Amino acid sequence: MTETAGAEAIFEAMGAVVTRWTMGSTAAAAASFWRTELGDDPVEAELRLLALSGQFLGATVTAEPASALRVLPDIPPLALSTVAEALRPLVRRILAASKDAASRTELVHFLAARGWTTHPADWMPDASDEDAPDVYAPWRDWSAFTAAGATTQRQTNDQITAENWEDFWPAARKAALIGLRRRDPSAARALLEAKVGNENADARLRLVSLLSERLSDDDVAFLEGLVANDRALKVKALATSMLARLGHGPAAGEDIAELAGFFSVKTKGLLRRSRVIDFQTPKTPAQWQRRKALLDGTDLTSFAGALGLAPQDLIAAWDWKADPAADAGLIKLIVETGTDAQLVQAAEIVSEHDATGLIVALAPRLAPTERAKFAVAGLRTHGFRFEIAQVIAGVAARLDDPISAPAGAKLLAEIRRDDAKPSDHAEEFHALGVLASQAAAQQTLQRLTAAGLLQGDPRLDMLRLNAALDDQGEKP
């Protein structure tokens, strides 16, 4: 028997050996070709067989790819620096502890807000990851063109125009359009008018949503054209919402009159007369559903007009917390169809009324400075938990000394309890790490370790990352 044939015979016998081991049986009897090497002791024979099998398979068996290998293009560099090598293990640990994709996305947004990106071996977005920060657009497109079988990247160094539109992969195109919209809103709109009709419905929706940046009356004609002519209902709905923000909602009809019937405007006060909205409480489940459907189908300007008020007067006159379902309906109208000024007005009023859930609903459309302001107000005056404050503030808050808020005093008291567990309040510690400025994170770590927490406690990972990460991001 030749050496090659012997190797093939041994390899064929390995199947029987592995099968016997898998079933919990001895396998030396199936390896007669190594009888001399295995010896007569049954226990020793199994150990020798294990060693010889591992050597044989490692030396003679080579895994082959299922198909021809393809050399991928280099992963492109990003506009922001990668986190320092010393911090990468901490980033990986936080990523591994994240319960879902939203938590991982929060971390990469936090890093981007501080002027950093992940190492591609630690985290990379998928081509379809619309929630990834814009700085990762080159990586998203890299994933897209490698999946499509491309071997070279398209050239996207120039500013986007109608002529080089096709040179941009989707993520880079979106990032370029956002930049153009901020610099020259009219040029960005004109480019969308020329090119958006050639995209599929999902792409049109993403591209049209970019108009929310510096939205103005100059966009009305284009948006009205989308409402009238676009093929996708979701694009029509988005354009309708943007028109409503500009005060161009649908004409009032029977539905808006019916909706107004659920409310009335009254005056109160003797010396300082003020208006207040009086709720006509629905009497049946069907009436509750009808009122909700009517609120969902209108816009803020039309609703206010049906009551004889301007939108800002309606927000001021609303009797907040008297009817939670009506509150939620009005907040939805403000978020979807209100102006930025109306949104801030509503946030200021509901913050005074300690309506936490309504602030959370308004937060995504608020500017970072406004979000941080309302988070601080909630922590100081309403005793928000850090988790709620972080949802309101987002990842760019940089709060000074949040540990001194009531939520911090409560957290310090909890960790000093005799029955405190190592896993208690992990979400609160994480949120605190996202909220704090770098200096505040450093100070907070000192206070928490002085209160008894170990410096290596995994609950402090986000605070440690924040404290060690130089803040090179743009300040809101």
Side-chain angles (χ1 to χ4, degrees):
M1 182 179 291
T2 66
E3 181 178 351
T4 302
E8 290 176 351
I10 294 173
F11 181 73
E12 290 293 334
M14 283 295 102
V17 170
V18 173
T19 299
R20 292 190 179 201
W21 278 338
T22 303
M23 297 175 67
S25 303
T26 59
S32 57
F33 40 81
W34 282 333
R35 183 171 299 158
T36 302
E37 289 80 2
L38 297 182
D40 297 327
D41 185 334
V43 176
E44 182 68 19
E46 293 299 318
L47 293 174
R48 292 181 179 183
L49 177 58
L50 179 62
L52 288 168
S53 299
Q55 269 191 320
F56 172 79
L57 293 173
T60 63
V61 178
T62 303
E64 295 183 356
S67 58
L69 293 177
R70 179 166 59 94
V71 178
L72 298 178
D74 291 342
I75 297 174
L78 301 181
L80 299 179
S81 301
T82 304
V83 293
E85 192 67 25
L87 292 179
R88 283 184 58 199
L90 190 53
V91 170
R92 287 196 296 269
R93 192 157 87 167
I94 297 172
L95 287 168
S98 300
K99 297 179 180 178
D100 49 36
S103 300
R104 292 187 288 275
T105 300
E106 175 194 82
L107 174 62
V108 296
H109 273 278
F110 171 84
L111 291 173
R114 300 298 172 96
W116 300 94
T117 55
T118 61
H119 190 283
D122 300 335
W123 182 86
M124 278 191 74
D126 295 329
S128 59
D129 193 349
E130 294 292 332
D131 293 328
D134 290 337
V135 69
Y136 290 95
W139 285 5
R140 288 181 55 205
D141 286 338
W142 182 89
S143 298
F145 66 69
T146 53
T151 57
T152 58
Q153 301 181 53
R154 296 174 184 171
Q155 178 60 255
T156 59
N157 291 337
D158 297 330
Q159 293 186 11
I160 190 168
T161 64
E163 289 71 28
N164 67 9
W165 177 273
E166 295 300 331
D167 292 342
F168 287 75
W169 285 82
R173 182 182 296 153
K174 176 183 174 183
L177 278 168
I178 290 174
L180 180 60
R181 180 69 174 177
R182 290 169 179 165
R183 296 190 307 271
D184 190 342
S186 297
R189 184 186 64 256
L191 187 54
L192 284 177
E193 288 184 273
K195 291 295 185 178
V196 76
N198 298 326
E199 304 293 329
N200 62 41
D202 288 337
R204 294 201 305 278
L205 184 69
R206 291 191 295 270
L207 292 171
V208 172
S209 69
L210 304 182
L211 291 177
S212 60
E213 184 82 31
R214 300 188 65 178
L215 185 67
S216 72
D217 286 336
D218 293 338
D219 303 314
V220 169
F222 176 48
L223 292 171
E224 288 177 340
L226 291 173
V227 172
N229 303 316
D230 198 274
R231 304 178 298 278
L233 292 178
K234 53 190 174 183
V235 176
K236 289 176 179 283
L238 176 60
T240 300
S241 173
M242 289 185 173
L243 283 170
R245 292 188 202 177
L246 297 170
H248 294 263
E254 293 182 1
D255 284 352
I256 198 67
E258 182 182 355
L259 175 61
F262 286 100
F263 307 91
S264 60
V265 181
K266 295 187 175 181
T267 57
K268 65 177 183 179
L270 295 175
L271 298 178
R272 298 184 62 182
R273 308 283 284 174
S274 61
R275 289 175 293 191
V276 64
I277 303 298
D278 185 52
F279 302 101
Q280 310 298 315
T281 305
K283 296 180 174 56
T284 66
Q287 288 181 336
W288 282 102
Q289 289 297 323
R290 180 57 178 164
R291 189 185 72 172
K292 181 181 184 303
L294 291 169
L295 275 170
D296 289 343
T298 189
D299 63 272
L300 180 63
T301 300
S302 298
F303 180 35
L307 295 173
L309 299 172
Q312 61 271 22
D313 296 330
L314 171 64
I315 295 169
W318 195 262
D319 191 5
W320 297 97
K321 300 186 77 172
D323 185 333
D327 289 350
L330 180 61
I331 289 295
K332 184 172 182 288
L333 284 186
I334 295 170
V335 169
E336 293 180 354
T337 66
T339 65
D340 292 344
Q342 292 158 1
L343 202 78
V344 172
Q345 178 196 8
E348 289 174 343
I349 292 175
V350 298
S351 178
E352 294 171 0
H353 285 77
D354 193 16
T356 306
L358 302 183
I359 284 285
V360 169
L362 291 166
R365 263 198 66 193
L366 292 170
T369 51
E370 295 290 341
R371 296 181 70 167
K373 180 182 75 173
F374 290 118
V376 169
L379 283 171
R380 301 296 180 190
T381 59
H382 305 309
F384 284 178
R385 291 182 293 114
F386 288 126
E387 282 186 85
I388 297 298
Q390 195 271 308
V391 171
I392 293 171
V395 297
R398 300 175 172 89
L399 302 191
D400 293 324
D401 199 24
I403 194 67
S404 296
K410 181 179 179 181
L411 194 58
L412 288 167
E414 289 289 329
I415 63 177
R416 292 189 178 104
R417 290 176 50 174
D418 294 337
D419 59 347
K421 299 177 182 178
S423 59
D424 286 348
H425 313 295
E427 292 81 3
E428 279 289 89
F429 287 114
H430 179 86
L432 180 55
V434 177
L435 279 170
S437 65
Q438 184 186 15
Q442 294 167 348
Q443 295 164 4
T444 299
L445 279 174
Q446 293 174 1
R447 292 190 62 177
L448 290 173
T449 53
L453 289 185
L454 297 176
Q455 290 193 6
D457 193 316
R459 291 175 295 177
L460 302 181
D461 281 351
M462 194 66 213
L463 273 164
R464 274 197 295 274
L465 176 62
N466 189 341
L469 198 67
D470 290 338
D471 190 349
Q472 303 184 48
E474 295 182 6
K475 305 303 186 290

